[in-house]
Each structure stands twice: as structure tokens, then as C-alpha cells.
Amino acid sequence: MSETSAAPHIPLPRPGRGADKARMDEILRVDHAGEYAAVLIYRAQKAVFEGRKSHGDMVRDLSEMQDQEAVHLDRFNRLLNERRVRPTVMTPLWRIAASALGAGTALMGEKAAHACTEAVESVIEKHYADQIAEIGDRDPALAAELTQFREEELAHHDHAVEHGSREAPAYRLLSSVIKVGCKAAIKISEKI
């Protein structure tokens, strides 16, 4: 399993009317953006490896992970529609960034692609854990779904580690840059 997560970061409740809805909108908006980016990262990685010989296992693994992320994305698409929440206005930029990240790490090789997965999923699983702690009492059904999604993200993380993510060229630098980018995208997507 992954490293132990620190105590969850739970934002202070907002005062005022509509605060709970505004916070739930942020949660759904950022989760939708994250799942959208994940699908694109895996799709771009898969496209690179499909064009190379002897990467059948990698293509199969990426397809499975992409399919799981697509299920998450479909769920958040429905939730945005049901709860009348707009997606982030950053979607066009995230499309470019996620596709570039996926293709770029795949071009660096399998271990770099796994390092990308490990870095992204380590941020996302903590992000989901924080959200689960925050909304568990307010929206237990959504918290249960996020728990399932978090477990799947942890499985992707662990798979990446088992397949050599930490042997990637410039692993620490690559991992750090990806994590910082993910954390920034989370903050931005919540708000705009």
C-alpha cells in the first residue's frame, strides 16, 4: 500500500447562506477535473506505447486504468448535471497539460510513465481522503463513492510502484514536479 497519509486537511466551514452548496460544488468540480485529466494522461501514454513494439502488457495495464478512470469521470459528469455544478473553466488547459504529461512521460519510458502514475495517484488519494473526512456526515453516499474511487487510485499507485516507478530517470525531480502541478491544479479547479 501507499505511504501513510498525514491527518486530513479539512477546510474550515464557511459562514453564510449557501456555504455548504458552494463547498460541495468545489468538491465536485475539482474531482471531475481530476478524473478528466487522469483519463487523458492514460490515453496519451497508451497511444505512445501502442506505437512501440513489445509493450503489450503496458498497453493492457494503461487500458484497464483508463477504463476505471472513465467510470469515475462518468459518475462526476452525472453529478455535475444532477447538482447543476459547472465544470472548471480550466478544462481546455487541463486537456493540453494532461495529454502532454501522459505523452511526455511515456516517451521517457515505462518507468517514467509509472512514476507519473505514482505521483498523480499519491496526491489524488490524499485529496480524496481529505474530502471523505470532510463530507462523511453531510453526504455519506458521496463519501462512500469517493472511498471506492480512492481505493482504485491506491491500486493504480501500488501497481506503478511494483512496476518500477522509483527506477525512472530523475525520479525524485519528476515526481516532485508532477505532485506540485497536481496540487496547483486542484486549488485552481476548485475555485474557477
Side-chain angles (χ1 to χ4, degrees), residues 48-126:
V48 169
F49 288 116
E50 283 174 334
R52 298 177 172 183
K53 293 182 181 181
S54 73
H55 289 283
D57 289 344
M58 185 68 171
V59 170
R60 206 168 18 264
D61 290 346
L62 291 169
S63 291
E64 287 176 20
M65 291 186 285
Q66 180 186 338
D67 290 347
Q68 281 186 323
E69 302 295 358
V71 169
H72 302 176
L73 176 59
D74 288 343
R75 180 61 181 137
F76 285 113
N77 279 328
R78 288 193 310 277
L79 284 167
L80 289 183
N81 286 322
E82 290 167 11
R83 297 186 186 193
R84 297 177 186 223
V85 177
R86 66 162 177 78
T88 178
V89 299
M90 300 300 289
T91 300
L93 180 60
W94 296 161
R95 181 182 316 116
I96 294 165
S99 297
L101 178 60
T105 54
L107 288 168
M108 293 171 64
E110 285 190 18
K111 294 191 186 310
H114 286 307
C116 176
T117 295
E118 179 193 354
V120 169
E121 301 297 15
S122 70
V123 172
I124 298 310
E125 78 81 11
K126 178 165 182 354

Side-chain angles (χ1 to χ4, degrees), residues 86-189:
R86 66 162 177 78
T88 178
V89 299
M90 300 300 289
T91 300
L93 180 60
W94 296 161
R95 181 182 316 116
I96 294 165
S99 297
L101 178 60
T105 54
L107 288 168
M108 293 171 64
E110 285 190 18
K111 294 191 186 310
H114 286 307
C116 176
T117 295
E118 179 193 354
V120 169
E121 301 297 15
S122 70
V123 172
I124 298 310
E125 78 81 11
K126 178 165 182 354
H127 175 70
Y128 274 149
D130 291 347
Q131 288 180 342
I132 293 161
E134 179 182 353
I135 68 166
D137 294 333
R138 256 191 344 225
D139 194 335
L142 180 58
E145 286 185 282
L146 295 182
T147 299
Q148 177 188 339
F149 293 171
R150 179 177 177 262
E151 289 171 6
E152 291 169 0
E153 308 298 358
L154 282 167
H156 298 172
H157 172 279
D158 295 348
H159 177 83
V161 171
E162 291 164 10
H163 287 82
S165 62
R166 296 178 181 171
E167 299 165 25
Y171 165 76
R172 286 181 191 244
L173 176 62
L174 181 63
S175 180
S176 295
V177 168
I178 293 169
K179 286 178 182 179
V180 167
C182 287
K183 289 174 184 177
I186 287 169
K187 290 297 178 196
I188 293 166
S189 293

Side-chain angles (χ1 to χ4, degrees), residues 5-21:
S5 297
H9 169 72
I10 302 173
L12 293 174
R14 296 176 187 195
R17 219 169 141 165
D20 284 345
K21 165 115 173 66

